[in-house]
Amino acid sequence: MASWWQKTLMAAAGLAGAVGGAYYFFLRRPVPSPKGVRRLPGLHEEVEVITDRYGVPHIYARNEDDLFFAQGYVHAQQRLWQMDFNRRLGSGRLSEVVGEVTLELDRFCRRLGLHRAAASDVARLSAHHRRILETYAAGVNAFIENHTLPVEFTLLRYRPDPWQPADSLLWAKMMGWNLSGNWESELIRARIVARAGAERAAKLEAGYDPSHPLIIPPGAEYGGANPGLLEPYEQVKLLSGFGPLGASNNWVVDGSKTVTGAPILCNDPHLAQGAPSIWFECHLAAGDIDVIGASFPGTPGIVIGHNRHIAWGLTNAISDVQDLYIEKFDPQHPYRYEFRGQWEEAQVIREEIHVKGRKEPVVEEVVVTRHGPILTTLPTSKERASEGDGATPSELPLALRWTGFESCRIIAAVEKLNRATCWEEFLEAMSDWDVPPQNVVYADREGNIGYIMAGLIPVRSHRQTLLPSPGWTGEYEWTGFIPFEELPRLFNPPEHLIVTANNRVVKDDYPYYITHEWLNGYRAQRIRDLLQSKERLSLADMARIQSDQYALPAREIVPQVLETVSPANALEETALQTLRDWDYVLSPDSAGAAIYETFLQKLERIVFGAVIGDDEQLLYQYLGVGSTLLAILNGYASRSKPLLIRLLKERDDTWFAESAIPNGPRSWHAAISAAWSAAIAELLEKLGPDVTRWQYGAIHRLTYQHPLGNVKPLDKLFNRGPYPAGGDIDTVFMGAVVPNQPEQVVIVPSYRQIVNLADLNASLSGHAPGQSGHPGSRHYGDFVRPWLRTEHHPMLFERQAIEANMEGHLLLQPR
């Protein structure tokens, strides 16, 4: 990503030279004080903000309007530049402040139109929920108008626009879109089909019967599935901090399995690392609202946490809520497209993109069909003339249909959830939770536990669509959505526990199609095993589970290596013995972990390359990478592991019989041996001849990276790290990497909570790098070391405990 930013940030880097000589002015001056009195227009009554020693604000207001005003003010106080950056990213307005280098990204975001959808949804909100967004925005703007701006605004030399209610919905749209990446899987699968054929491509579908070929919809051709479409999508994922997986863990046990006799609920959502953190911990109290947990800067309310009655946690449901449609346009009339034998007129929206350094805006003509916006670039009139009448465009005209374009009640859901007092009120809140679908676990002070898969999931005329579908036939339309009453749910199950980790949650007899693309079940199985390993569980036991880096797949893969490999020299013999003695824990100081992970990377490329061939970019996409070095993980990540293990156990050499690699291995013995030799050679080159020094953390490192921290010397100001890291994509304490950049950890537990329903004030939480978005604040990176050790801080909830740990007392008063 460095080269992408370097072209435009050199001026900022040059300006940063002054930072060293004016540390206070640039870094310390914008850091807000947690003490004192602020008189602000827009408040009705006095609000108290008590900040505890961990940097968590506890906001006490006398009415709801002032509460959300104060939350907006506090969010802006600590994270204003992050909030402004995210709305510019989502609305395609980065080029206004950074110039030409983000133009293609902005063009893609304008075509996608999250900002248009957010603006439309504001008008559809109830008066109550629109007022929440308006008072929150007023609080943000009170900070903008009355305080020194964060250092990033100084470096990039601009001021933020006033915050609008639609900006908060835009972030909700970005959250939903980034965690709903099925369209990307369809595009990658189409490219594999185009290269290898449907029959061979079906062999690569983990969880799909390999004897069944992928069904290509009649009339669909995938030769124009341009991988360039994915580049701006990957940039959005990387810069927004969501990443593609939204992989997470949550679980809840009832009082029969705890030392306290009351439920314990745990959650750790896995998202892309970054500085500042994607989360902001906060406590809101006014009237019947008294709720604490993790919030998103830019939106009101608490997304994950507990109130005085219930607790909840989220994991991504990995539901199929997006479809790509290949549209057939009239060559004579560029904005007419076919549907069921008739021509329909597409909507054309003129988007003007202002670019820093250009006098005139760049105009993007956005074409929208009944299925949604065309994501690919349609040829201009000049290009159509040069192609000739009836010519096929170089890119498939792909329209995206997504539930997030059709509904956005998430603000209502969060507001109701924060107030809920029982299972029935929790379900009422979940009935408004539409995008993105989530696995939500529940516990209450009465001892109940529960679960629901909440969200808007389409019902299709064709049960599932794994590939882009013809948009002109009318045969692949959505016919409705799964009724809320029929979404998967549990309440006080006989097992006394519930676990979700993005794994499959319904059996084959469930009457609706949810997805073909669940992540594998290793994390869920490991959590379940640990929960069942003791009769009674404590909060310390839950923290140990969150810290667990035991690799379940290694138990099945390593024996295959040990029985196959014949060491060629003393170094290989030592390495093999190290692997034989390894405890399957991917700790940062483990040599066995380094050997296993390096071997696994080599083996995956050999085995799946036999089908995909020498198209390295496509192979990496199948293994979970986007199309460029900017990419992080896509929806394919982790899904091939069970397939690899099954193939290893079967040892059917016909897998390699028609290998697409001319000089590749022709047997499993040869493939395993080749992967082993390549792994040892790589570790020797990187870490030297002493196997005892082959520590996993030396080749598996984590950096909390700021968007401006890709250019020196700004990296010294904004980034934190690198740190040796453990885990991988299949461990409870996740440390997922980019498959083509295996030394860079990109997906980690972004927030952790352990809620003790017996004593809410004894609950625990934590995230990294810290609460503050100001690099001059001590709370910018103070959570990193505890986070690496899976150490939580108290989730202070009662006023007495909060005041005993007070760092600052701020009064917000009406002006």
Side-chain angles (χ1 to χ4, degrees):
M1 180 176 156
S3 61
W4 187 71
W5 277 97
Q6 281 171 339
K7 295 177 183 178
T8 194
L9 294 180
M10 293 312 296
L15 182 60
V19 174
Y23 176 82
Y24 171 79
F25 182 80
F26 281 101
L27 294 184
R28 289 295 303 158
R29 184 168 175 262
V31 177
S33 171
K35 305 175 182 179
V37 178
R38 305 284 186 274
R39 292 181 173 84
L40 303 172
L43 273 177
H44 302 288
E45 299 181 83
E46 186 176 82
V47 177
E48 286 184 276
V49 181
I50 302 176
T51 301
D52 66 31
R53 59 189 293 193
Y54 309 105
V56 177
H58 303 262
I59 302 174
Y60 295 93
R62 299 172 187 173
N63 60 78
E64 181 184 277
D65 283 357
D66 287 347
L67 179 68
F68 292 119
F69 178 101
Q71 187 183 21
Y73 179 87
V74 169
H75 275 170
Q77 192 183 49
Q78 297 295 340
R79 302 290 189 87
L80 179 61
W81 189 79
Q82 179 188 36
M83 293 162 61
D84 186 67
F85 179 84
N86 285 337
R87 70 170 165 176
R88 286 186 176 277
L89 175 63
S91 59
R93 294 183 57 203
L94 279 175
S95 298
E96 293 179 13
V97 296
V98 301
E100 296 272 355
V101 291
T102 57
L103 179 56
E104 290 305 310
L105 174 57
D106 281 350
R107 292 182 65 200
F108 176 81
C109 290
R110 296 295 182 98
R111 292 197 295 271
L112 181 64
L114 298 181
H115 59 299
R116 295 189 299 272
S120 296
D121 283 339
V122 169
R124 293 198 293 265
L125 289 174
S126 69
H128 175 66
H129 295 111
R130 187 163 57 249
R131 185 176 178 87
I132 288 175
L133 294 184
E134 289 169 349
T135 56
Y136 177 89
V140 176
N141 293 329
F143 178 83
I144 293 174
E145 294 161 6
N146 293 279
H147 295 282
T148 302
L149 297 177
V151 65
E152 293 94 334
F153 292 105
T154 303
L155 291 173
L156 293 175
R157 303 174 186 176
Y158 79 98
R159 286 187 61 84
D161 295 332
W163 196 262
Q164 304 292 337
D167 296 330
S168 295
L169 286 188
L170 174 63
W171 177 246
K173 295 285 185 184
M174 286 185 65
M175 174 181 68
W177 185 67
N178 274 298
L179 297 180
S180 307
N182 172 260
W183 75 272
E184 181 185 18
S185 300
E186 289 185 18
L187 193 58
I188 294 170
R189 191 175 289 111
R191 294 192 63 225
I192 295 174
V193 168
R195 180 173 180 86
E199 185 175 351
R200 287 176 64 80
K203 295 180 178 180
L204 297 175
E205 289 296 318
Y208 187 81
D209 190 336
S211 66
H212 298 166
L214 289 172
I215 300 173
I216 300 177
E221 298 287 343
Y222 299 126
N226 191 330
L229 176 60
L230 292 175
E231 179 175 346
Y233 171 57
E234 298 295 340
Q235 293 173 3
V236 174
K237 291 190 300 187
L238 182 64
L239 294 174
S240 67
F242 270 110
L245 284 178
S248 310
N249 307 315
N250 64 18
W251 64 91
V252 61
V253 298
D254 69 22
S256 69
K257 293 186 65 64
T258 69
V259 296
T260 65
I264 298 176
L265 183 145
C266 304
N267 193 194
D268 54 293
H270 302 162
L271 298 169
Q273 49 74 25
S277 167
I278 196 172
W279 300 103
F280 183 79
E281 293 187 64
C282 195
H283 178 191
L284 306 176
D288 61 347
I289 301 175
D290 195 355
V291 61
I292 189 170
S295 66
F296 283 129
T299 62
I302 300 299
V303 180
I304 299 172
H306 73 78
N307 60 27
R308 291 203 171 272
H309 307 279
I310 73 167
W312 66 94
L314 311 176
T315 69
N316 196 8
I318 317 289
S319 304
D320 188 348
V321 296
Q322 296 175 330
D323 281 335
L324 286 175
Y325 289 88
I326 308 168
E327 302 289 21
K328 186 180 291 186
F329 283 89
D330 183 352
Q332 305 300 322
H333 299 277
Y335 300 126
R336 290 202 319 190
Y337 65 99
E338 183 181 343
F339 185 72
R340 291 180 174 167
Q342 303 291 325
W343 292 117
E344 295 192 358
E345 197 73 22
Q347 181 185 10
V348 181
I349 301 169
R350 177 187 169 91
E351 290 276 0
E352 291 189 354
I353 305 172
H354 295 276
V355 182
K356 187 176 183 179
R358 284 195 183 191
K359 292 183 178 180
E360 299 296 326
V362 174
V363 175
E364 181 74 14
E365 286 192 342
V366 180
V367 179
V368 182
T369 71
R370 62 168 44 240
H371 298 118
I374 299 291
L375 297 186
T376 42
T377 304
L378 293 179
T380 64
S381 56
K382 183 181 295 186
E383 291 168 338
R384 285 192 297 273
S386 64
E387 288 172 351
D389 292 342
T392 302
S394 57
E395 285 189 271
L396 290 178
L398 296 173
L400 173 66
R401 187 169 187 186
W402 169 48
T403 53
F405 290 142
E406 306 181 22
S407 180
C408 188
R409 303 192 309 275
I410 192 72
I411 296 298
V414 171
E415 185 263 338
K416 293 178 181 179
L417 182 59
N418 290 180
R419 280 188 159 97
T421 65
C422 61
W423 174 249
E424 289 74 23
E425 292 179 7
F426 167 78
L427 288 182
E428 170 63 22
M430 290 298 96
S431 69
D432 280 324
W433 191 290
D434 44 16
V435 179
Q438 297 285 289
N439 296 307
V440 191
V441 293
Y442 164 95
D444 63 35
R445 299 294 299 276
E446 301 301 315
N448 301 301
I449 65 172
Y451 157 84
I452 187 169
M453 177 186 285
L456 205 60
I457 302 174
V459 177
R460 299 165 170 87
S461 51
H462 281 240
R463 181 173 169 86
Q464 63 185 32
T465 51
L466 303 181
L467 292 159
S469 303
W472 62 89
T473 67
E475 297 175 0
Y476 298 88
E477 303 303 299
W478 295 3
T479 59
F481 301 96
I482 299 178
F484 176 75
E485 295 74 18
E486 299 183 51
L487 290 170
R489 68 186 67 190
L490 292 169
F491 186 66
N492 289 332
E495 282 188 296
H496 306 288
L497 61 88
I498 302 168
V499 177
T500 86
N502 319 109
N503 53 305
R504 185 171 183 169
V505 297
V506 295
K507 297 180 180 179
D508 288 338
D509 59 359
Y510 183 69
Y512 299 100
Y513 170 69
I514 294 177
T515 187
H516 167 68
E517 299 179 331
W518 312 103
L519 300 189
N520 67 51
Y522 297 119
R523 281 183 288 115
Q525 184 59 54
R526 178 62 177 168
I527 294 167
R528 185 174 291 274
D529 290 347
L530 292 172
L531 291 176
Q532 293 176 332
S533 66
K534 293 184 69 173
E535 185 175 345
R536 298 277 181 171
L537 297 154
S538 66
L539 268 66
D541 293 321
M542 300 305 187
R544 278 191 289 271
I545 295 174
Q546 289 187 337
S547 72
D548 186 76
Q549 294 181 325
Y550 187 88
L552 274 180
R555 293 197 313 194
E556 301 180 85
I557 293 172
V558 169
Q560 300 290 332
V561 181
L562 298 177
E563 73 178 45
T564 303
V565 169
S566 298
N569 50 48
L571 178 66
E572 289 196 11
E573 176 59 47
T574 302
L576 201 64
Q577 185 59 47
T578 300
L579 194 62
R580 188 176 291 115
D581 295 338
W582 181 44
D583 59 3
Y584 301 140
V585 176
L586 295 172
S587 59
D589 59 353
S590 170
I595 296 168
Y596 164 74
E597 288 290 342
T598 307
F599 165 80
L600 187 59
Q601 293 157 16
K602 303 299 182 184
L603 184 65
E604 286 177 329
R605 284 149 186 74
I606 291 172
V607 171
F608 299 122
V611 174
I612 292 174
D614 59 1
D615 187 336
E616 188 173 82
Q617 183 187 58
L618 186 56
L619 174 61
Y620 279 130
Q621 286 179 346
Y622 172 75
L623 292 173
V625 175
S627 58
T628 73
L629 290 177
L630 295 172
I632 45 178
L633 300 172
N634 65 37
Y636 268 97
S638 92
R639 294 214 308 268
S640 62
K641 194 73 61 63
L643 172 61
L644 179 66
I645 290 172
R646 177 171 62 80
L647 294 172
L648 271 171
K649 291 180 176 180
E650 292 173 354
R651 296 284 187 111
D652 184 350
D653 290 340
T654 59
W655 179 270
F656 300 99
E658 298 178 1
S659 176
I661 304 297
N663 298 317
R666 289 297 185 267
S667 70
W668 280 97
H669 186 281
I672 294 169
S673 299
W676 172 261
S677 298
I680 299 304
E682 180 174 305
L683 289 167
L684 174 62
E685 179 182 355
K686 287 182 177 179
L687 302 178
D690 185 351
V691 175
T692 63
R693 299 177 67 86
W694 288 3
Q695 293 190 342
Y696 185 40
I699 57 170
H700 190 253
R701 299 173 73 79
L702 169 65
T703 298
Y704 286 95
Q705 189 157 300
H706 187 285
L708 301 188
N710 294 282
V711 179
K712 296 180 179 181
L714 297 180
D715 59 329
K716 302 300 183 184
L717 296 178
F718 292 110
N719 295 348
R720 296 296 181 266
Y723 305 99
D728 69 2
I729 199 168
D730 297 314
T731 54
V732 179
F733 185 165
M734 179 179 280
V737 301
V738 183
N740 63 346
Q741 295 176 308
E743 296 190 5
Q744 175 186 352
V745 177
V746 294
I747 304 291
V748 295
S750 58
Y751 169 72
R752 296 185 179 110
Q753 74 172 19
I754 301 174
V755 181
N756 178 8
L757 276 298
D759 178 7
L760 292 174
N761 208 52
S763 300
L764 304 168
S765 62
H767 65 113
Q771 279 283 91
S772 179
H774 298 277
S777 168
R778 76 179 189 89
H779 291 304
Y780 185 74
D782 59 331
F783 282 170
V784 175
R785 295 294 181 182
W787 179 90
L788 289 168
R789 298 189 293 263
T790 324
E791 295 174 356
H792 306 69
H793 67 77
M795 205 172 182
L796 301 173
F797 193 52
E798 299 297 341
R799 178 91 183 217
Q800 182 177 359
I802 293 164
E803 290 180 346
N805 290 274
M806 182 170 62
E807 180 179 272
H809 185 227
L810 177 65
L811 291 179
L812 305 181
Q813 296 178 341
R815 179 179 294 179

